[in-house]
Amino acid sequence: MADAQTPPAGPDLAQGVALADFTGETLLGHVGDQDVLLVRSGEEILAIDAHCSHYHGPLADGLVVGLSIRCPWHHACFDLRTGEATRAPALTPLAVWQVELEGNRIFVRRKREQPKPRGAKPVNAPGKIVIVGGGAAGFAAAEMLRRQDFSGSIVMLSSDTAPPVDRPNLSKDYLAGSAPEDWLPLRPDEFYTEAGIDLRLKTEVISIDTKARNVIVTDGGNIPYDRLLLATGAEPVRLPIPGADQPHVHTLRSLTDCRAIIASASGARRAIVIGASFIGLEAAAALRARDIEVHVVAPEQRPMERVLGPGMGDFVRALHEEHGVVFHLGDTVSAIDGKRATLKSGGVLEADLIVVGVGVRPRLALAEQAGLALDRGVVVNPYLETSVAGIYASGDIARWPDTYSGENIRVEHWVVAERQGQTVARNMLGQLEAFDAVPFLWSQHYDVPINYVGHAEKWDEIVVDGDIGSRDCLLKYKSGGRVLAVASIYRDLASLQAELAMERGSMS
Ligand SMILES: Cc1cc2nc3c(=O)[nH]c(=O)nc-3n(C[C@H](O)[C@H](O)[C@H](O)COP(=O)(O)OP(=O)(O)OC[C@H]3O[C@@H](n4cnc5c(N)ncnc54)[C@H](O)[C@@H]3O)c2cc1C
Ligand code: FES
């Protein structure tokens, strides 16, 4: 929607536009104060809300693929005929508009009635589904089950204290103090009751009885299931150094963790971030936005080099230095005593607050106890089913056969976790859908977004198109001439095109 200051976009579609003026694939206009996008797909002309329901990304800059459109920012996908958000991270449908052709003019005057999402007619639908985990994958699965008209019971067990939240925001705008509280919940509290999702917070599952088909929670209660999803995510690695258990030393995974950091940040002058990972550096940027002096201590020589290569690593370092972050690379913290952190190199840094971002470990205890096949994660087949029939796994714990790379991989990406949850929901209802989405992640540092599609643990060549320093680049990570992954800054359309080419096996 256009606000009072922003004039509505493009031509007034209610007044009509000449067919001859609609020459491209999309045309951005408005109806009243709503921005509406006209889209040509083959012979058909369709109209849809112009902004993504995730973070309001401009669909006019997105990619039309058949009868769908993909968002340039984080690659959500919407069905152009129904408005349904068919691929995470968007979960809410967009309005679709009635297109009328009168003579040689196109008119858009009103929204079409929101078509009901495709209700799959589940064959052999289970009666009882239990989801362990109230994060990205667990929530997306529950939401998709109801979207698919599943009418049986859904019990969602979460050891968190809060209903599912937009976790990526916890190291970005929310931590920086620029996102209001109501941005965080993936859905308002009443959603769960209205959708018939029995969300039980502060409930830890301690074991699974795969024979009796029960999960057992801490108070000893048994919850029976016909199908079970394990989506227990990952937990931050804690530093085995003296003083790491003090109240001003934090890790960052949950809303509770984030609130504890914000409380420590209040009145703080200086912070240390241990680790130059995505989360550590995003947290550094957020703390700088709160005007706190930030020192980053990390053993590597360049931040993020292992994932993004040396060029991006140097860029990320320079970007943070421009914003006043001080790096202590090639070093580690060996002890923390109150405000004093001793470095391995011998130096001492003083800080009111310390954030430890040294990686995460998948939470595998339950899967291990249940006897599921493990291989540095829970092994799943292409349908995301574990070695025990009827038990699925998704998100940070799952190691799945990735179609594009041909490898069994496990990643820690928000969009992958949500999409896997969605696939599991459909498969629990008998759809037998292989998970073949190409992995996607994004990271945000100040005003610079980094998008990444594919998966490259090693490469022998990085081909850079554009200029990293000018924040206009696309990097291809290649091995034996094959592109394994593509990272980009402000090349959103090219990133979407790379994702599509990888899906179609035509990436070059
Ligand atoms: C601060 C932060 C920022 C991030 N930013 C990005 C980003 O910008 N882009 C990106 O791609 N990825 C990002 N990630 C990673 C992304 O959030 C994860 O990949 C994603 O949340 C994984 O989803 P999941 O469902 O597997 O696990 P989670 O979302 O972690 O959910 C796991 C759930 O399981 C529950 N649980 C665990 N064990 C039990 C048990 N025994 N009983 C009951 N409940 C249990 C937990 O309480 C939690 O509710 C970020 C992560 C963090 C922490
Ligand atoms: S804004 Fe569209 S996917 Fe995030």
Side-chain angles (χ1 to χ4, degrees), residues 132-137 157-160 167-168 170-172 203-205 231-233 252-253 279 282 363 366 394-396 412-414 417 441-442:
V132 186
L157 305 165
S158 170
S159 50
D160 283 344
R167 204 177 297 287
L170 300 180
S171 52
K172 304 180 183 68
T203 304
E204 175 114 14
V205 176
T232 47
L252 176 52
R253 183 78 192 181
I279 289 178
E282 287 184 353
R363 284 178 169 131
L366 266 186
S394 55
D396 286 3
E412 290 147 10
H413 307 348
W414 179 255
L441 85 91
W442 85 94

Side-chain angles (χ1 to χ4, degrees), residues 75-129:
H75 295 202
C77 183
F78 297 91
D79 185 310
L80 287 166
R81 283 190 178 147
T82 64
E84 187 187 354
T86 50
R87 289 186 186 206
L91 299 166
T92 304
L94 293 178
V96 281
W97 296 71
Q98 187 72 44
V99 176
E100 290 159 324
L101 276 178
E102 293 173 14
N104 57 4
R105 290 181 76 75
I106 310 164
F107 291 87
V108 181
R109 301 183 179 101
R110 66 189 76 84
K111 288 180 185 171
R112 281 168 48 200
E113 203 180 310
Q114 198 77 46
K116 243 184 88 48
R118 303 152 301 158
K121 283 277 157 268
V123 223
N124 290 331
K128 296 184 283 288
I129 291 180

